[in-house]
């Protein structure tokens, strides 16, 4: 199996185009057609992790954070990024990063946190905006099912936990072929009346090119009549953060003890107590100050994230308990999630979890 084929397996589960625009996901270094000897999954592809990959005969490292985030103007080993990339290149180790593609995935980072906490009735905290489009296409009645099936196969009509969603209306269309045309039916310079139907489907915007290409390939007309609309609807199944509820509420101090145990941390920074019970909880792995207002809007009793700054805690205003468990600590289940995704699909070579420490934050207790 090649690196390219392993990447295809990953991308069947995690849609890379849902990553944030500022991010750098995908294959960061390595030759896609090279055969894979083993895969090492990790949080950060640091130099010690590349050493581990070489030692354990893994020539593909699948990581969460991209080691190359901004542009590299040289590769001389002058910093930790260049040293890791140089070592990977010298040892023919490929590096593939998923970062915010997995942050935005419904089954990604934040689902991992919620599942570890036992939260139920999960919903996206900050649903993606400007992410959905609607396609309307006019098709001869006899070809409507063929075109519809093709649209579904190309990824149209997927809405959350439903697929093959569409709407169809029958009607009558007109057209007149003129000189230069090669019509499917009718004669040049004669208006044609056709029994047609209008098929409507919704899709995520990154699928547009593949859906339009598939539609045109399946459609019998030389010129396909269709429209694409950008929707104001938020995508309720893609976005940053999640929130859910406990079966039983708990008081704030018991809640802090609970998450301290679940996250296996010695210390939790938190805002003032609200003197309310905790039942609905929002989470956002990594640096999550941007989700505080959303957690308040969703009426969360508590919000768990990392990297909160001094002034962020004032935003709680005694309405919500803000909890900073640490950046790395909030994302600690990612390597296991990646391991499970790949292990379920690949049995021809080893899928291994890194045992190297990559959390740069230490605590003196």
């Amino acid at each position: 199996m090649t690196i390219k084929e392993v990447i295809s397996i990953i991308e069947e589960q995690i849609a890379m185009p849902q990553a944030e625009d500022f991010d750098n996901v995908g294959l960061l270094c390595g030759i896609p057609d090279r055969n894979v000897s083993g895969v090492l999954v990790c949080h950060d592809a640091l130099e010690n992790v590349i050493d581990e990959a070489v030692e354990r005969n893994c020539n593909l490292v699948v990581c969460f954070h991209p080691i190359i985030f901004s542009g590299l103007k040289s590769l001389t080993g002058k910093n930790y990024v260049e040293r890791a990339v140089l070592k990977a290149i010298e040892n023919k180790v490929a590096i593939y990063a998923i970062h915010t593609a997995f942050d935005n995935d419904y089954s990604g980072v934040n689902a991992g946190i919620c599942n570890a906490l036992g939260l139920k009735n999960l919903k996206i905290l900050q649903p993606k905006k400007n992410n959905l489009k609607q396609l309307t296409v006019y098709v001869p009645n006899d070809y409507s099912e063929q075109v519809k099936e093709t649209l579904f196969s190309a990824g149209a009509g997927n809405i959350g936990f439903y697929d093959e969603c569409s709407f169809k209306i029958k009607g009558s269309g007109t057209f007149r072929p003129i000189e230069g045309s090669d019509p499917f039916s009718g004669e040049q310079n004669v208006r044609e009346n056709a029994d047609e139907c209008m098929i409507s489907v919704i899709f995520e915007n990154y699928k547009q090119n593949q859906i339009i290409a598939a539609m045109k390939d399946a459609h019998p007309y030389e010129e396909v009549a269709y429209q694409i609309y950008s929707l104001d609807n938020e995508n309720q199944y893609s976005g940053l953060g999640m929130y859910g509820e406990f079966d039983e509420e708990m008081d704030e101090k018991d809640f802090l003890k609970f998450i301290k145990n679940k996250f296996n941390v010695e210390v939790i920074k938190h805002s003032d107590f609200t003197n309310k019970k905790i039942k609905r909880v929002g989470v956002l792995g990594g640096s999550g100050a941007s989700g505080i207002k959303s957690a308040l809007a969703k009426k969360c009793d508590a919000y768990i994230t990392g990297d909160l700054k001094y002034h962020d805690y004032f935003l709680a205003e005694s309405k919500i308990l803000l909890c900073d468990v640490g950046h790395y600590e909030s994302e600690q289940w990612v390597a296991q999630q990646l391991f499970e995704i790949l292990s379920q699909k690949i049995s021809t070579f080893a899928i291994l979890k890194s045992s190297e420490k990559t959390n740069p934050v230490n605590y003196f207790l």
Side-chain angles (χ1 to χ4, degrees):
M1 185 176 288
T2 63
I3 290 170
K4 181 168 57 179
E5 290 170 328
V6 174
I7 289 172
S8 178
I9 289 171
I10 296 170
E11 294 182 356
E12 285 175 4
Q13 304 295 316
I14 307 168
M16 289 297 118
Q18 66 187 343
E20 298 296 311
D21 292 338
F22 65 79
D23 206 3
N24 188 32
V25 299
L27 187 63
L28 304 185
C29 70
I31 298 173
D33 291 326
R34 181 168 286 152
N35 287 327
V36 176
S37 59
V39 178
L40 184 69
V41 298
C42 66
H43 201 271
D44 300 278
L46 303 181
E47 189 177 6
N48 60 332
V49 174
I50 303 303
D51 284 333
E52 181 186 14
V54 174
E55 183 180 340
R56 301 177 75 178
N57 194 35
C58 294
N59 65 346
L60 173 59
V61 171
V62 179
C63 56
F64 182 58
H65 290 141
I67 187 69
I68 304 172
F69 196 75
S70 53
L72 292 175
K73 294 187 177 181
S74 65
L75 274 175
T76 60
K78 62 181 176 291
N79 57 45
Y80 79 96
V81 172
E82 291 186 15
R83 287 192 296 273
V85 175
L86 271 174
K87 183 159 286 189
I89 292 171
E90 288 169 349
N91 289 279
K92 298 182 179 179
V93 174
I95 302 175
Y96 183 89
I98 60 170
H99 203 207
T100 57
F102 206 45
D103 279 322
N104 280 311
D105 196 272
Y106 189 86
S107 300
V109 176
N110 299 295
I113 299 172
C114 290
N115 292 334
L117 295 177
L119 295 172
K120 307 290 179 60
N121 306 318
L122 303 182
K123 295 181 181 178
I124 297 290
L125 185 67
Q126 296 178 288
K128 268 192 171 293
K129 299 179 180 179
N130 305 315
N131 178 253
L132 296 175
K133 292 187 176 182
Q134 182 178 32
L135 167 67
T136 298
V137 58
Y138 302 88
V139 189
N141 287 337
D142 291 344
Y143 285 80
S144 64
E145 288 305 309
Q146 173 183 318
V147 171
K148 189 165 62 175
E149 289 296 328
T150 300
L151 290 171
F152 293 156
S153 296
N158 291 8
I159 304 173
F161 295 107
Y162 296 85
D163 63 6
E164 300 189 3
C165 303
S166 69
F167 189 75
K168 183 169 79 171
I169 301 175
K170 289 186 176 181
S172 179
T174 65
F175 59 90
R176 186 175 67 157
I178 60 176
E179 187 175 350
S181 64
D182 183 19
F184 170 72
S185 62
E187 301 177 11
Q188 286 189 357
N189 300 314
V190 177
R191 182 189 299 160
E192 173 83 359
N193 291 288
D195 292 328
E196 297 178 330
C197 61
M198 181 185 77
I199 298 172
S200 179
V201 289
I202 291 175
F203 62 91
E204 292 165 304
N205 55 15
Y206 67 83
K207 299 177 181 177
Q208 179 168 324
N209 289 342
Q210 68 194 48
I211 287 171
I212 298 306
M215 176 197 72
K216 288 182 176 180
D217 188 57
H219 203 290
Y221 284 177
E222 183 179 25
E223 292 290 342
V224 181
Y226 69 96
Q227 295 89 36
I228 294 175
Y229 308 94
S230 294
L231 301 180
D232 289 335
N233 305 51
E234 294 178 335
N235 187 345
Q236 300 296 325
Y237 298 92
S238 178
L240 296 174
M242 270 191 160
Y243 67 100
E245 297 177 344
F246 291 119
D247 288 331
E248 301 291 337
E249 63 185 17
M250 62 181 83
D251 67 41
E252 291 171 301
K253 288 186 179 179
D254 287 340
F255 173 72
L256 288 176
K257 291 175 183 176
F258 172 78
I259 63 173
K260 186 177 177 182
N261 177 61
K262 288 293 183 180
F263 284 88
N264 192 28
V265 294
E266 295 291 339
V267 111
I268 296 172
K269 295 193 295 182
H270 65 87
S271 60
D272 289 338
F273 288 125
T274 64
N275 297 315
K276 297 190 304 182
K277 297 291 187 181
I278 305 295
K279 186 171 178 65
R280 178 173 292 183
V281 178
V283 306
L284 203 169
S287 300
S290 63
I292 294 174
K293 291 183 179 178
S294 296
L296 283 164
K298 299 296 193 299
K299 300 187 184 306
C300 293
D301 305 308
Y303 178 59
I304 303 170
T305 188
D307 292 344
L308 294 183
K309 297 179 181 178
Y310 176 84
H311 291 284
D312 295 330
Y313 290 92
F314 289 116
L315 298 175
E317 299 206 31
S318 300
K319 297 177 182 177
I320 190 171
L321 181 65
L322 302 179
C323 306
D324 184 340
V325 297
H327 189 123
Y328 177 92
E329 290 80 2
S330 68
E331 299 169 339
Q332 64 185 271
W333 290 282
V334 171
Q336 179 63 29
Q337 289 173 282
L338 283 172
F339 175 80
E340 290 173 3
I341 287 171
L342 289 170
S343 296
Q344 289 170 4
K345 300 287 185 177
I346 297 172
S347 59
T348 53
F349 49 78
I351 311 296
L352 305 174
K353 283 173 60 179
S354 173
S355 58
E356 290 293 315
K357 177 185 180 296
T358 61
N359 184 3
V361 181
N362 296 278
Y363 300 93
F364 183 76
L365 301 174

